[in-house]
Amino acid sequence: MKDKLREIREEAMKRIEAARDLDALNEIKVGVLGKKGDLTQVLKSMKDVAPEDRPKVGQMVNDTRAAIEEKLESVRKEIANKLREEKMKNEVIDVTLPGTHKMIGHRHPNQIALEDLERVFVGMGYEIVEGPEVEYDHYNFELLNIPANHPAKDEQDTFYINKEILLRTQTSPVQARVMEDKVREAKETNSRMKPIRIIAPGRVFRSDEVDATHSPSFHQVEGLVVDKNITFADLKGTLQQFAEEFFGPETKIKLRPHHFPFTEPSAEVDVSCFKCGGKGCRMCKGSGWIEILGCGMVHPKVLTDCGIDPEEYSGFAFGIGLERVALLKYEIDDMRLLYENDVRFLNQF
Ligand code: DAH
């Protein structure tokens, strides 16, 4: 019995000494002190020991148990300490290291120009609306007084989806959609039509070859105002206000007669060159003026076809090329730069 106990103790001590982690220690604990452990087995055989020897043997078992438990605990502490030290070493933070630099994006020049434009028109009480990029021929041409075989249709090289559906070549179809909506709303509520004052920014498509001033996909901002007693003077005043706020307070505007099928009369609008102030420079090609948009009074036929009585209502419209004003404002000389997503370019804005 005595030998057996010594054997158990020596064996356990050796194994505890050799243990490398907490799992191994636990395994030893269960194997020696557990319910089916070696030492427990010895206790069970106490019944074979002569009664007068039992207290002595019992004492020996308890000593063995205490010694093993003590050893287990001291090695457990050692291992736990070592683990903690390792963890601390791995988690050391070197505060002198440079931080990880988070790259944040830039607003695209188109976006900056659009937000600026929206700021100006929202300030004048305009609402921002959107229309579909895939559009009916009916809205893109027909309702805008551009019937089949009209030469203006050929000028806008159109991407057709089928005979009736196309990629819009201009944001002007949003004009027709908004007018129809307002007329419908008035009918449904049995009230008179509410005045219209909207801008409609969006993407347009034309099957153009890419070069410094053309792209098959670009952006326009459409404007439309319809109410009683809207005159050409309102259009001029609005555009003058826009030019001053967008290009600078010294900016002048000049209207040149032009033709658009959906406006009558129509005009193209130039602003005085904001680079040279009108003296003539490379930017304005020496003329002192830069063309920025097309506009006019909404054609009576367009009003009528959208359900509005031209005897009662009148309106003006304008169309701004977003890329055009962005390029001008930031003095970028090639439209392709806006689409190439070269960060060396975009980082400058
Ligand atoms: N939609 C015309 C274009 O794409 C631009 C335009 C001109 C829009 C005159 C208008 C306008 O609303 O009144 O060339």
Side-chain angles (χ1 to χ4, degrees):
M1 195 73 152
K2 220 173 160 182
D3 291 344
K4 178 78 185 155
L5 280 172
R6 189 180 313 116
E7 203 183 293
I8 290 175
R9 181 177 182 150
E10 274 168 14
E11 174 68 17
M13 292 301 185
K14 233 191 284 168
R15 286 180 59 206
I16 294 170
E17 202 74 63
R20 287 281 154 265
D21 56 41
L22 298 173
D23 283 346
L25 274 186
N26 210 36
E27 208 176 290
I28 299 166
K29 188 174 175 182
V30 173
V32 180
L33 308 177
K35 259 194 209 147
K36 288 181 185 152
D38 299 341
L39 202 61
T40 320
Q41 296 302 323
V42 174
L43 265 179
K44 279 183 187 158
S45 55
M46 279 288 266
K47 58 182 184 313
D48 305 329
V49 177
E52 63 272 26
D53 290 339
R54 277 185 199 162
K56 220 174 126 204
V57 175
Q59 183 62 46
M60 277 171 67
V61 172
N62 283 343
D63 288 350
T64 306
R65 188 183 184 89
I68 292 174
E69 273 176 350
E70 198 181 303
K71 185 73 180 169
L72 272 170
E73 179 56 17
S74 81
V75 173
R76 190 196 64 75
K77 269 194 191 144
E78 246 171 60
I79 292 178
N81 275 345
K82 214 154 70 201
L83 284 176
R84 213 184 51 215
E85 252 166 50
E86 251 164 49
K87 196 170 169 217
M88 303 277 264
K89 222 190 291 173
N90 290 337
E91 286 179 2
V92 156
I93 296 170
D94 182 352
V95 291
T96 65
L97 283 174
T100 15
H101 193 69
K102 282 245 160 51
M103 295 280 279
I104 39 172
H106 289 251
R107 277 146 78 239
H108 191 277
N110 262 357
Q111 184 64 20
I112 306 173
L114 176 60
E115 282 170 21
D116 210 20
L117 237 138
E118 287 179 344
R119 174 186 60 80
V120 173
F121 282 103
V122 167
M124 290 195 261
Y126 284 63
E127 201 184 319
I128 301 169
V129 301
E130 278 181 23
E133 290 173 3
V134 180
E135 184 56 286
Y136 290 103
D137 181 289
H138 180 68
Y139 286 101
N140 196 82
F141 292 124
E142 209 71 28
L143 276 182
L144 295 172
N145 198 24
I146 313 174
N149 305 321
H150 191 285
K153 231 173 152 166
D154 306 330
E155 277 164 32
Q156 304 194 355
D157 303 295
T158 311
F159 287 116
Y160 277 94
I161 309 268
N162 60 34
K163 255 180 68 185
E164 290 146 40
I165 299 173
L166 44 77
L167 299 183
R168 67 177 176 191
T169 59
Q170 48 187 355
T171 44
S172 304
V174 186
Q175 287 188 34
R177 284 181 173 273
V178 170
M179 286 190 270
E180 274 191 355
D181 284 350
K182 291 283 174 183
V183 169
R184 190 180 316 115
E185 189 190 313
K187 271 196 191 126
E188 278 167 10
T189 55
N190 214 1
S191 52
R192 73 180 202 96
M193 192 186 78
K194 290 201 191 106
I196 297 169
R197 207 185 291 138
I198 57 109
I199 54 167
R203 189 186 281 274
V204 300
F205 306 84
R206 290 185 197 181
S207 83
D208 278 331
E209 291 299 325
V210 176
D211 65 24
T213 53
H214 292 85
S215 161
S217 164
F218 56 103
H219 300 77
Q220 292 185 333
V221 180
E222 195 76 16
L224 174 69
V225 170
V226 179
D227 200 353
K228 292 182 177 168
N229 306 315
I230 298 292
T231 68
F232 203 91
D234 294 315
L235 171 60
K236 250 184 109 172
T238 301
L239 295 176
Q240 177 65 45
Q241 180 72 15
F242 159 67
E244 287 175 20
E245 283 200 50
F246 190 82
F247 292 109
E250 307 297 320
T251 314
K252 293 182 183 60
I253 63 167
K254 179 171 83 174
L255 281 78
R256 286 178 286 104
H258 199 75
H259 172 264
F260 297 106
F262 37 88
T263 44
E264 181 58 35
S266 305
E268 273 188 339
V269 176
D270 299 343
V271 290
S272 56
C273 181
F274 38 85
K275 186 89 196 274
C276 64
K279 286 197 274 303
C281 67
R282 208 172 74 99
M283 183 103 165
C284 54
K285 299 197 185 87
S287 76
W289 295 94
I290 299 172
E291 181 202 324
I292 56 153
L293 59 85
C295 66
M297 300 306 290
V298 182
H299 197 294
K301 172 131 178 33
V302 174
L303 290 172
T304 308
D305 289 351
C306 292
I308 297 173
D309 180 1
E311 296 296 327
E312 196 181 353
Y313 288 91
S314 55
F316 65 73
F318 54 87
I320 305 172
L322 183 63
E323 278 79 358
R324 188 167 172 75
V325 293
L327 294 179
L328 285 172
K329 196 158 177 180
Y330 304 111
E331 298 183 31
I332 304 163
D333 59 9
D334 193 323
M335 192 173 179
R336 285 168 287 201
L337 288 165
L338 294 177
Y339 305 118
E340 283 166 355
N341 293 334
D342 185 333
V343 286
R344 290 169 305 177
F345 169 74
L346 294 174
N347 277 346
Q348 298 173 53
F349 299 94

PDB file of all heavy atoms in Angstrom, residues 3 13 25 52 71 90 92 97 143 151 156 208 218 223-224 244 254 263 288 294 296 316 331 333 345 348:
ATOM      1  N   ASP A   3       3.996   1.467  -0.861  1.00  0.00           N
ATOM      2  CA  ASP A   3       4.742   1.554  -2.132  1.00  0.00           C
ATOM      3  C   ASP A   3       3.850   2.092  -3.251  1.00  0.00           C
ATOM      4  O   ASP A   3       4.251   2.922  -4.058  1.00  0.00           O
ATOM      5  CB  ASP A   3       5.282   0.180  -2.525  1.00  0.00           C
ATOM      6  CG  ASP A   3       6.392  -0.258  -1.564  1.00  0.00           C
ATOM      7  OD1 ASP A   3       6.897   0.654  -0.839  1.00  0.00           O
ATOM      8  OD2 ASP A   3       6.712  -1.449  -1.540  1.00  0.00           O
ATOM      9  N   MET A  13       3.873  13.606  -9.783  1.00  0.00           N
ATOM     10  CA  MET A  13       4.788  14.751  -9.720  1.00  0.00           C
ATOM     11  C   MET A  13       5.537  14.916 -11.037  1.00  0.00           C
ATOM     12  O   MET A  13       5.666  16.017 -11.566  1.00  0.00           O
ATOM     13  CB  MET A  13       5.796  14.563  -8.575  1.00  0.00           C
ATOM     14  CG  MET A  13       5.176  14.638  -7.194  1.00  0.00           C
ATOM     15  SD  MET A  13       4.354  16.223  -6.937  1.00  0.00           S
ATOM     16  CE  MET A  13       3.871  16.067  -5.244  1.00  0.00           C
ATOM     17  N   LEU A  25      -2.689  19.719 -17.411  1.00  0.00           N
ATOM     18  CA  LEU A  25      -2.795  19.685 -15.945  1.00  0.00           C
ATOM     19  C   LEU A  25      -4.132  19.107 -15.499  1.00  0.00           C
ATOM     20  O   LEU A  25      -4.218  18.275 -14.599  1.00  0.00           O
ATOM     21  CB  LEU A  25      -2.669  21.100 -15.381  1.00  0.00           C
ATOM     22  CG  LEU A  25      -1.271  21.640 -15.116  1.00  0.00           C
ATOM     23  CD1 LEU A  25      -1.393  23.003 -14.406  1.00  0.00           C
ATOM     24  CD2 LEU A  25      -0.465  20.675 -14.267  1.00  0.00           C
ATOM     25  N   GLU A  52      -6.702  -1.638  12.534  1.00  0.00           N
ATOM     26  CA  GLU A  52      -5.794  -0.817  13.361  1.00  0.00           C
ATOM     27  C   GLU A  52      -4.834   0.000  12.501  1.00  0.00           C
ATOM     28  O   GLU A  52      -4.325   1.043  12.922  1.00  0.00           O
ATOM     29  CB  GLU A  52      -5.007  -1.714  14.369  1.00  0.00           C
ATOM     30  CG  GLU A  52      -4.089  -2.742  13.735  1.00  0.00           C
ATOM     31  CD  GLU A  52      -4.793  -4.060  13.429  1.00  0.00           C
ATOM     32  OE1 GLU A  52      -6.053  -4.022  13.244  1.00  0.00           O
ATOM     33  OE2 GLU A  52      -4.128  -5.094  13.325  1.00  0.00           O
ATOM     34  N   LYS A  71       1.132  20.719  -5.715  1.00  0.00           N
ATOM     35  CA  LYS A  71       1.980  20.773  -6.904  1.00  0.00           C
ATOM     36  C   LYS A  71       1.174  21.248  -8.122  1.00  0.00           C
ATOM     37  O   LYS A  71       1.621  22.099  -8.886  1.00  0.00           O
ATOM     38  CB  LYS A  71       2.575  19.376  -7.160  1.00  0.00           C
ATOM     39  CG  LYS A  71       3.564  19.330  -8.304  1.00  0.00           C
ATOM     40  CD  LYS A  71       4.872  19.985  -7.907  1.00  0.00           C
ATOM     41  CE  LYS A  71       5.863  19.946  -9.069  1.00  0.00           C
ATOM     42  NZ  LYS A  71       7.023  20.802  -8.777  1.00  0.00           N
ATOM     43  N   ASN A  90       2.536  40.175 -26.829  1.00  0.00           N
ATOM     44  CA  ASN A  90       1.935  40.252 -28.165  1.00  0.00           C
ATOM     45  C   ASN A  90       1.061  41.479 -28.360  1.00  0.00           C
ATOM     46  O   ASN A  90       0.841  41.932 -29.459  1.00  0.00           O
ATOM     47  CB  ASN A  90       1.083  39.007 -28.442  1.00  0.00           C
ATOM     48  CG  ASN A  90       1.953  37.785 -28.626  1.00  0.00           C
ATOM     49  OD1 ASN A  90       3.129  37.913 -28.960  1.00  0.00           O
ATOM     50  ND2 ASN A  90       1.389  36.615 -28.391  1.00  0.00           N
ATOM     51  N   VAL A  92       1.506  44.464 -27.068  1.00  0.00           N
ATOM     52  CA  VAL A  92       2.174  45.749 -26.855  1.00  0.00           C
ATOM     53  C   VAL A  92       1.837  46.711 -28.000  1.00  0.00           C
ATOM     54  O   VAL A  92       1.835  46.331 -29.152  1.00  0.00           O
ATOM     55  CB  VAL A  92       3.707  45.532 -26.768  1.00  0.00           C
ATOM     56  CG1 VAL A  92       4.443  46.817 -27.143  1.00  0.00           C
ATOM     57  CG2 VAL A  92       4.086  45.090 -25.377  1.00  0.00           C
ATOM     58  N   LEU A  97       4.388  54.300 -33.849  1.00  0.00           N
ATOM     59  CA  LEU A  97       4.138  53.900 -35.244  1.00  0.00           C
ATOM     60  C   LEU A  97       3.179  54.888 -35.908  1.00  0.00           C
ATOM     61  O   LEU A  97       2.290  55.406 -35.247  1.00  0.00           O
ATOM     62  CB  LEU A  97       3.504  52.501 -35.284  1.00  0.00           C
ATOM     63  CG  LEU A  97       4.417  51.308 -35.049  1.00  0.00           C
ATOM     64  CD1 LEU A  97       3.589  50.040 -34.989  1.00  0.00           C
ATOM     65  CD2 LEU A  97       5.458  51.203 -36.156  1.00  0.00           C
ATOM     66  N   LEU A 143     -44.234  65.044 -77.605  1.00  0.00           N
ATOM     67  CA  LEU A 143     -44.873  66.085 -76.779  1.00  0.00           C
ATOM     68  C   LEU A 143     -44.056  67.375 -76.748  1.00  0.00           C
ATOM     69  O   LEU A 143     -44.524  68.400 -76.268  1.00  0.00           O
ATOM     70  CB  LEU A 143     -45.059  65.577 -75.345  1.00  0.00           C
ATOM     71  CG  LEU A 143     -46.306  64.732 -75.065  1.00  0.00           C
ATOM     72  CD1 LEU A 143     -46.361  64.342 -73.591  1.00  0.00           C
ATOM     73  CD2 LEU A 143     -47.579  65.476 -75.460  1.00  0.00           C
ATOM     74  N   PRO A 151     -36.287  67.496 -88.471  1.00  0.00           N
ATOM     75  CA  PRO A 151     -34.820  67.473 -88.541  1.00  0.00           C
ATOM     76  C   PRO A 151     -34.138  67.451 -87.167  1.00  0.00           C
ATOM     77  O   PRO A 151     -33.059  66.874 -87.016  1.00  0.00           O
ATOM     78  CB  PRO A 151     -34.472  68.745 -89.310  1.00  0.00           C
ATOM     79  CG  PRO A 151     -35.728  69.533 -89.417  1.00  0.00           C
ATOM     80  CD  PRO A 151     -36.868  68.588 -89.253  1.00  0.00           C
ATOM     81  N   GLN A 156     -30.161  64.860 -82.810  1.00  0.00           N
ATOM     82  CA  GLN A 156     -29.889  64.191 -81.544  1.00  0.00           C
ATOM     83  C   GLN A 156     -29.772  62.695 -81.793  1.00  0.00           C
ATOM     84  O   GLN A 156     -30.751  61.970 -81.730  1.00  0.00           O
ATOM     85  CB  GLN A 156     -31.025  64.453 -80.553  1.00  0.00           C
ATOM     86  CG  GLN A 156     -31.251  65.941 -80.351  1.00  0.00           C
ATOM     87  CD  GLN A 156     -32.121  66.235 -79.162  1.00  0.00           C
ATOM     88  OE1 GLN A 156     -32.649  65.344 -78.529  1.00  0.00           O
ATOM     89  NE2 GLN A 156     -32.274  67.496 -78.841  1.00  0.00           N
ATOM     90  N   ASP A 208     -22.874  59.741 -79.714  1.00  0.00           N
ATOM     91  CA  ASP A 208     -21.754  60.574 -80.180  1.00  0.00           C
ATOM     92  C   ASP A 208     -20.434  59.861 -79.928  1.00  0.00           C
ATOM     93  O   ASP A 208     -20.309  59.093 -78.983  1.00  0.00           O
ATOM     94  CB  ASP A 208     -21.731  61.894 -79.385  1.00  0.00           C
ATOM     95  CG  ASP A 208     -22.713  62.903 -79.949  1.00  0.00           C
ATOM     96  OD1 ASP A 208     -22.975  62.840 -81.163  1.00  0.00           O
ATOM     97  OD2 ASP A 208     -23.197  63.744 -79.165  1.00  0.00           O
ATOM     98  N   PHE A 218     -23.984  62.098 -70.912  1.00  0.00           N
ATOM     99  CA  PHE A 218     -23.609  63.288 -70.135  1.00  0.00           C
ATOM    100  C   PHE A 218     -24.834  63.743 -69.329  1.00  0.00           C
ATOM    101  O   PHE A 218     -25.810  62.988 -69.232  1.00  0.00           O
ATOM    102  CB  PHE A 218     -23.063  64.393 -71.059  1.00  0.00           C
ATOM    103  CG  PHE A 218     -23.997  64.805 -72.170  1.00  0.00           C
ATOM    104  CD1 PHE A 218     -24.729  65.984 -72.088  1.00  0.00           C
ATOM    105  CD2 PHE A 218     -24.154  64.013 -73.301  1.00  0.00           C
ATOM    106  CE1 PHE A 218     -25.588  66.373 -73.118  1.00  0.00           C
ATOM    107  CE2 PHE A 218     -25.011  64.389 -74.328  1.00  0.00           C
ATOM    108  CZ  PHE A 218     -25.729  65.567 -74.234  1.00  0.00           C
ATOM    109  N   GLY A 223     -34.937  73.228 -66.655  1.00  0.00           N
ATOM    110  CA  GLY A 223     -35.717  74.102 -65.785  1.00  0.00           C
ATOM    111  C   GLY A 223     -37.070  74.366 -66.422  1.00  0.00           C
ATOM    112  O   GLY A 223     -37.178  74.450 -67.650  1.00  0.00           O
ATOM    113  N   LEU A 224     -38.108  74.477 -65.597  1.00  0.00           N
ATOM    114  CA  LEU A 224     -39.441  74.781 -66.147  1.00  0.00           C
ATOM    115  C   LEU A 224     -40.239  75.588 -65.132  1.00  0.00           C
ATOM    116  O   LEU A 224     -40.308  75.237 -63.951  1.00  0.00           O
ATOM    117  CB  LEU A 224     -40.200  73.483 -66.467  1.00  0.00           C
ATOM    118  CG  LEU A 224     -41.661  73.662 -66.926  1.00  0.00           C
ATOM    119  CD1 LEU A 224     -41.722  74.303 -68.317  1.00  0.00           C
ATOM    120  CD2 LEU A 224     -42.415  72.338 -66.914  1.00  0.00           C
ATOM    121  N   GLU A 244     -25.207  85.261 -61.714  1.00  0.00           N
ATOM    122  CA  GLU A 244     -24.481  85.995 -60.668  1.00  0.00           C
ATOM    123  C   GLU A 244     -24.132  85.094 -59.486  1.00  0.00           C
ATOM    124  O   GLU A 244     -23.040  85.147 -58.942  1.00  0.00           O
ATOM    125  CB  GLU A 244     -25.315  87.189 -60.174  1.00  0.00           C
ATOM    126  CG  GLU A 244     -25.360  88.320 -61.184  1.00  0.00           C
ATOM    127  CD  GLU A 244     -26.287  89.452 -60.750  1.00  0.00           C
ATOM    128  OE1 GLU A 244     -26.592  89.546 -59.535  1.00  0.00           O
ATOM    129  OE2 GLU A 244     -26.708  90.234 -61.621  1.00  0.00           O
ATOM    130  N   LYS A 254     -26.103  87.475 -71.874  1.00  0.00           N
ATOM    131  CA  LYS A 254     -26.505  87.995 -73.184  1.00  0.00           C
ATOM    132  C   LYS A 254     -27.346  86.928 -73.852  1.00  0.00           C
ATOM    133  O   LYS A 254     -26.973  85.750 -73.859  1.00  0.00           O
ATOM    134  CB  LYS A 254     -25.240  88.266 -74.007  1.00  0.00           C
ATOM    135  CG  LYS A 254     -25.499  88.784 -75.396  1.00  0.00           C
ATOM    136  CD  LYS A 254     -24.211  89.230 -76.061  1.00  0.00           C
ATOM    137  CE  LYS A 254     -23.458  88.081 -76.688  1.00  0.00           C
ATOM    138  NZ  LYS A 254     -22.285  88.508 -77.460  1.00  0.00           N
ATOM    139  N   THR A 263     -39.808  75.662 -77.670  1.00  0.00           N
ATOM    140  CA  THR A 263     -39.921  77.013 -77.109  1.00  0.00           C
ATOM    141  C   THR A 263     -40.108  78.030 -78.231  1.00  0.00           C
ATOM    142  O   THR A 263     -39.620  77.849 -79.346  1.00  0.00           O
ATOM    143  CB  THR A 263     -38.662  77.399 -76.297  1.00  0.00           C
ATOM    144  OG1 THR A 263     -37.496  77.008 -77.027  1.00  0.00           O
ATOM    145  CG2 THR A 263     -38.660  76.744 -74.932  1.00  0.00           C
ATOM    146  N   GLY A 288     -14.905  87.196 -75.117  1.00  0.00           N
ATOM    147  CA  GLY A 288     -15.412  87.808 -73.883  1.00  0.00           C
ATOM    148  C   GLY A 288     -16.703  87.166 -73.389  1.00  0.00           C
ATOM    149  O   GLY A 288     -17.191  87.494 -72.312  1.00  0.00           O
ATOM    150  N   GLY A 294     -29.517  76.815 -73.283  1.00  0.00           N
ATOM    151  CA  GLY A 294     -30.587  77.137 -74.220  1.00  0.00           C
ATOM    152  C   GLY A 294     -31.861  77.371 -73.430  1.00  0.00           C
ATOM    153  O   GLY A 294     -32.050  76.798 -72.354  1.00  0.00           O
ATOM    154  N   GLY A 296     -36.160  79.433 -73.524  1.00  0.00           N
ATOM    155  CA  GLY A 296     -37.220  80.080 -74.287  1.00  0.00           C
ATOM    156  C   GLY A 296     -38.542  80.028 -73.550  1.00  0.00           C
ATOM    157  O   GLY A 296     -38.629  79.510 -72.431  1.00  0.00           O
ATOM    158  N   PHE A 316     -41.703  79.492 -69.006  1.00  0.00           N
ATOM    159  CA  PHE A 316     -40.386  79.457 -69.668  1.00  0.00           C
ATOM    160  C   PHE A 316     -39.656  78.187 -69.279  1.00  0.00           C
ATOM    161  O   PHE A 316     -39.996  77.527 -68.288  1.00  0.00           O
ATOM    162  CB  PHE A 316     -39.554  80.709 -69.356  1.00  0.00           C
ATOM    163  CG  PHE A 316     -39.141  80.888 -67.918  1.00  0.00           C
ATOM    164  CD1 PHE A 316     -38.138  80.093 -67.347  1.00  0.00           C
ATOM    165  CD2 PHE A 316     -39.715  81.899 -67.135  1.00  0.00           C
ATOM    166  CE1 PHE A 316     -37.733  80.294 -66.024  1.00  0.00           C
ATOM    167  CE2 PHE A 316     -39.318  82.103 -65.812  1.00  0.00           C
ATOM    168  CZ  PHE A 316     -38.330  81.288 -65.258  1.00  0.00           C
ATOM    169  N   GLU A 331     -12.246  75.193 -64.971  1.00  0.00           N
ATOM    170  CA  GLU A 331     -11.228  75.377 -66.016  1.00  0.00           C
ATOM    171  C   GLU A 331     -10.578  74.066 -66.424  1.00  0.00           C
ATOM    172  O   GLU A 331      -9.357  73.923 -66.435  1.00  0.00           O
ATOM    173  CB  GLU A 331     -10.178  76.412 -65.558  1.00  0.00           C
ATOM    174  CG  GLU A 331     -10.811  77.775 -65.317  1.00  0.00           C
ATOM    175  CD  GLU A 331      -9.784  78.840 -64.942  1.00  0.00           C
ATOM    176  OE1 GLU A 331      -8.630  78.737 -65.412  1.00  0.00           O
ATOM    177  OE2 GLU A 331     -10.150  79.754 -64.187  1.00  0.00           O
ATOM    178  N   ASP A 333     -10.086  71.402 -69.467  1.00  0.00           N
ATOM    179  CA  ASP A 333     -10.213  71.594 -70.912  1.00  0.00           C
ATOM    180  C   ASP A 333     -10.551  70.321 -71.688  1.00  0.00           C
ATOM    181  O   ASP A 333     -10.580  70.342 -72.915  1.00  0.00           O
ATOM    182  CB  ASP A 333      -8.953  72.267 -71.476  1.00  0.00           C
ATOM    183  CG  ASP A 333      -7.716  71.441 -71.202  1.00  0.00           C
ATOM    184  OD1 ASP A 333      -7.873  70.293 -70.736  1.00  0.00           O
ATOM    185  OD2 ASP A 333      -6.605  71.932 -71.445  1.00  0.00           O
ATOM    186  N   PHE A 345      -6.542  63.220 -60.894  1.00  0.00           N
ATOM    187  CA  PHE A 345      -7.403  64.331 -61.336  1.00  0.00           C
ATOM    188  C   PHE A 345      -8.437  64.681 -60.259  1.00  0.00           C
ATOM    189  O   PHE A 345      -8.560  65.819 -59.831  1.00  0.00           O
ATOM    190  CB  PHE A 345      -8.093  63.933 -62.641  1.00  0.00           C
ATOM    191  CG  PHE A 345      -9.201  64.861 -63.064  1.00  0.00           C
ATOM    192  CD1 PHE A 345      -8.927  66.109 -63.595  1.00  0.00           C
ATOM    193  CD2 PHE A 345     -10.525  64.476 -62.915  1.00  0.00           C
ATOM    194  CE1 PHE A 345      -9.954  66.969 -63.985  1.00  0.00           C
ATOM    195  CE2 PHE A 345     -11.562  65.331 -63.294  1.00  0.00           C
ATOM    196  CZ  PHE A 345     -11.273  66.583 -63.830  1.00  0.00           C
ATOM    197  N   GLN A 348      -7.978  66.748 -56.950  1.00  0.00           N
ATOM    198  CA  GLN A 348      -7.795  68.213 -56.979  1.00  0.00           C
ATOM    199  C   GLN A 348      -9.065  68.964 -56.615  1.00  0.00           C
ATOM    200  O   GLN A 348      -9.061  70.193 -56.532  1.00  0.00           O
ATOM    201  CB  GLN A 348      -7.339  68.639 -58.374  1.00  0.00           C
ATOM    202  CG  GLN A 348      -5.997  68.024 -58.766  1.00  0.00           C
ATOM    203  CD  GLN A 348      -5.658  68.318 -60.208  1.00  0.00           C
ATOM    204  OE1 GLN A 348      -5.656  69.460 -60.637  1.00  0.00           O
ATOM    205  NE2 GLN A 348      -5.387  67.260 -60.974  1.00  0.00           N
TER     206      GLN A 348
END
